[in-house]
Amino acid sequence: MSLFTVDARGDAVDPHDDPIVVDARQRGRRVGWLLLSLTLFGVFGLAVLPSPYVIERPGPVIDTLGSVTVGDEEVPLIEIPTEPTYDTDGTLSLTTVTIYGNREQPPSWFEVIRAWLDPSQAVVPIDAVFPPGVSTEDRREQSRIDMENSQQEAIAAALRTLGEPYESQLRVVETLEGSPAEGVVRGDDIILAVNDEPVRDVTALRAAIADNGTAEPATLTLLRNGSERTVEVTPQLSDAEPRVPVIGVLIAGEYVFPFEVTIELENVGGPSAGMMFALGIIDTLTPDSLAGGAEVAGTGTIAADGTVGPIGGIVQKMHGAVGAGADWFLAPLANCGEVAGSIPSGLEVFAVGTLDEAIGVLEAIADGDDLEELPRCEG
């Protein structure tokens, strides 16, 4: 039923037919549609606009005791051709992080918002991953060198644990343009010492530069063309996070090992697989299975002296481990602040600060010991 009013002339009038009412209603509808259109346009525009971030996601999980594809051939990830090796059981998997986006192709705001809502992903300022002035190719080259160094230090740490002697030195690959070392340190220089303290591996060099700080010059003892000399270089803070004192050189750790150890791994860079490489080498060279058949994953840098160092993307790596079927995870003690409260369901995580501690955890898992006393990341 319709309601009508009567105007002064006594005619019945439907207010829905009143020109003034109709005009106001139409204007309201037009304004509403305009606001909705502007809102949708703004949301769509924001969604597709590039953001100042990149996204960290769980990357491939690779068993150091298994095989990988190199070219078209399946080969062992770790191979020691001249020494007795032993069958292994279980997995000792390295974990990785995939970086989505770069300066040339950053993710959209829509992709960033979706990543913010996913606990397995992390949104990181693009400057923290790709510092200004550092090209994607520069970063890729540094990552490649870091991977090569981590493999060499992993071999050194494993052989040290097994009591095998070796020799080492630090060779400068190149100095970075605009860095403190430019014009002072040269490619092919051998760095022997920092402030008169001998350095034999990349980890020791980084620690010595960090201890020196940026307030005063560091004295480097170099071997150049067969002659020893000293130079002074004042470190500066790195552009990339975490900001630490650096002198601006790319270093290759060169080792002389008693036998050949090859590690085959393509399209993975950085130093964070070092600990798992070392564990894989030890397991390959020893009769007993370190993990006793367990599915173990982990991450952490390694120094030749066996020190396990912190890495980035620990949360994404734990999620990657769960997705790959791992039950146990070895995390650097120095990453405990990020681990605590972020452990995915179904994963047991242990905190380790040295290679010997990591071996102790694996032996406890293999022996079925009570694991409650082993170090965890509390929080």
Side-chain angles (χ1 to χ4, degrees):
M1 179 177 68
S2 299
L3 295 178
F4 295 91
T5 61
V6 178
D7 66 7
R9 298 171 307 213
D11 297 326
V13 179
D14 186 343
H16 290 84
D17 293 330
D18 190 313
I20 297 177
V21 174
V22 170
D23 185 57
R25 186 175 67 249
Q26 291 175 341
R27 285 201 306 271
R29 287 176 177 171
R30 285 196 295 268
V31 170
W33 280 110
L34 178 60
L35 291 175
L36 178 61
S37 299
L38 290 174
T39 301
L40 292 175
F41 180 79
V43 170
F44 178 77
L46 180 63
V48 299
L49 282 175
S51 70
Y53 298 100
V54 293
I55 298 169
E56 292 182 348
R57 296 171 172 169
V61 176
I62 305 165
D63 183 15
T64 63
L65 305 177
S67 59
V68 294
T69 301
V70 177
D72 296 326
E73 186 180 359
E74 194 83 1
V75 299
L77 190 147
I78 295 172
E79 191 167 17
I80 308 170
T82 64
E83 296 298 302
T85 57
Y86 302 88
D87 291 336
T88 58
D89 192 15
T91 60
L92 294 173
S93 297
L94 64 90
T95 50
T96 67
V97 171
T98 296
I99 302 296
Y100 179 74
N102 52 43
R103 287 198 177 278
E104 291 75 26
Q105 293 181 308
S108 69
W109 277 103
F110 177 77
E111 292 167 316
V112 166
I113 292 169
R114 187 169 59 180
W116 262 322
L117 300 175
D118 185 342
S120 73
Q121 301 187 45
V123 177
V124 182
I126 199 167
D127 287 351
V129 181
F130 299 95
V134 178
S135 69
T136 301
E137 186 56 40
D138 290 338
R139 184 180 182 277
R140 187 176 293 116
E141 176 65 10
Q142 180 65 66
S143 185
R144 182 190 66 79
I145 292 173
D146 286 343
M147 169 57 78
E148 290 183 358
N149 287 336
S150 77
Q151 292 177 358
Q152 294 296 295
E153 294 208 38
I155 298 169
L159 295 188
R160 170 189 165 278
T161 299
L162 297 172
E164 296 282 355
Y166 61 87
E167 298 178 1
S168 65
Q169 66 180 15
L170 297 174
R171 182 181 299 276
V172 177
V173 177
E174 64 175 300
T175 58
L176 301 179
E177 185 177 352
S179 72
E182 185 180 22
V184 181
V185 180
R186 300 178 184 174
D188 287 332
D189 281 351
I190 305 297
I191 300 180
L192 303 175
V194 178
N195 295 330
D196 297 324
E197 291 293 327
V199 289
R200 295 183 60 203
D201 55 61
V202 175
T203 303
L205 174 62
R206 288 172 176 161
I209 297 299
D211 289 343
N212 183 90
T214 59
E216 57 187 11
T219 300
L220 308 184
T221 304
L222 308 175
L223 186 64
R224 180 180 295 167
N225 298 325
S227 299
E228 192 171 303
R229 66 179 65 203
T230 59
V231 298
E232 289 190 343
V233 180
T234 302
Q236 66 183 22
L237 289 178
S238 61
D239 293 325
E241 297 291 344
R243 303 196 69 193
V244 296
V246 295
I247 58 175
V249 293
L250 297 182
I251 295 291
E254 297 181 341
Y255 292 83
V256 180
F257 297 124
F259 49 81
E260 181 184 2
V261 179
T262 61
I263 300 175
E264 297 282 1
L265 188 60
E266 293 185 334
N267 302 319
V268 177
S272 66
M275 178 182 68
M276 300 311 295
F277 285 146
L279 292 172
I281 293 166
I282 293 170
D283 206 0
T284 302
L285 286 170
T286 52
D288 296 329
S289 171
L290 278 182
E295 303 292 319
V296 181
T299 186
T301 65
I302 196 71
D305 66 0
T307 301
V308 174
I311 50 77
I314 185 76
V315 175
Q316 288 69 54
K317 290 175 180 178
M318 290 191 295
H319 279 276
V322 170
D327 301 307
W328 318 92
F329 192 89
L330 304 177
L333 182 64
N335 281 113
C336 271
E338 301 164 79
V339 171
S342 300
I343 299 174
S345 176
L347 191 67
E348 292 273 355
V349 180
F350 303 97
V352 296
T354 67
L355 185 59
D356 288 341
E357 290 176 2
I359 293 172
V361 171
L362 294 178
E363 290 175 342
I365 293 172
D367 294 341
D369 293 344
D370 183 3
L371 305 178
E372 294 304 316
E373 299 302 318
L374 294 177
R376 311 284 185 123
C377 292
E378 305 294 341

